[in-house]
Amino acid sequence: PKFTKTTIFQRDVQVSGSLNVTGSASIIGNLDLTGSLDIGGQVTGVVTSLAIASTTASMDFNDGNFFNLTLANGVDTHLDATNVAAGQTISLVVTNNATGAGTLSFSPDFKFSEATAPTVTAAVNAVDILTFVTTDATSVYGTGLLNFS
């Protein structure tokens, strides 16, 4: 089928063969795809800023794949992961505060090489990038690129 105007489907849609979209397409909800997906152009995602409540930041994996976290002054922020599912890749940009005195610790579901979590850069406005992958709903494997200050 060819759609030339905005089309809203009220139930699941199955496509056998090719689906070509010229312009924009919006999907509200889930898209399950079997087969391959070729994309010409860019793919972007929403960047979610994490809030710190009682020295804990919860990264809800249902909220997307890209997160920002600004650490609090002189406080160890504990990072938790929720709604973890197999097959996810998550990027977290950690920025230290204006004094550079914030630290970061991780809940036990985070696993790092040689069982050693990265130490965030203790410098004013330092930026570290942490990347996580999941292969099941319980373990979050991480690595870090540090000191983009």
Side-chain angles (χ1 to χ4, degrees):
K2 181 177 181 180
F3 303 100
T4 57
K5 294 184 178 183
T6 301
T7 304
I8 299 173
F9 298 97
Q10 299 297 326
R11 56 182 164 226
D12 293 341
V13 175
Q14 288 185 328
V15 177
S16 296
S18 297
L19 173 64
N20 297 312
V21 176
T22 301
S24 298
S26 296
I27 298 169
I28 299 171
N30 294 322
L31 170 65
D32 294 322
L33 175 69
T34 302
S36 61
L37 174 64
D38 295 328
I39 298 173
Q42 66 181 172
V43 176
T44 61
V46 174
V47 179
T48 301
S49 292
L50 300 178
I52 300 172
S54 300
T55 70
T56 298
S58 290
M59 190 164 48
D60 185 342
F61 282 29
N62 278 344
D63 288 345
N65 298 86
F66 306 104
F67 296 88
N68 286 328
L69 173 63
T70 300
L71 299 176
N73 181 30
V75 174
D76 179 61
T77 300
H78 184 76
L79 184 65
D80 284 332
T82 60
N83 295 309
V84 175
Q88 293 179 288
T89 301
I90 303 294
S91 294
L92 172 65
V93 176
V94 179
T95 304
N96 220 316
N97 58 53
T99 64
T103 59
L104 185 63
S105 61
F106 301 87
S107 64
D109 37 331
F110 288 94
K111 312 292 185 201
F112 296 95
S113 177
E114 299 183 23
T116 303
T119 300
V120 295
T121 305
V124 174
N125 299 319
V127 174
D128 301 315
I129 300 174
L130 306 179
T131 301
F132 305 99
V133 296
T134 63
T135 57
D136 57 39
T138 58
S139 295
V140 179
Y141 299 98
T143 188
L145 296 171
L146 306 176
N147 199 12
F148 285 90
S149 54

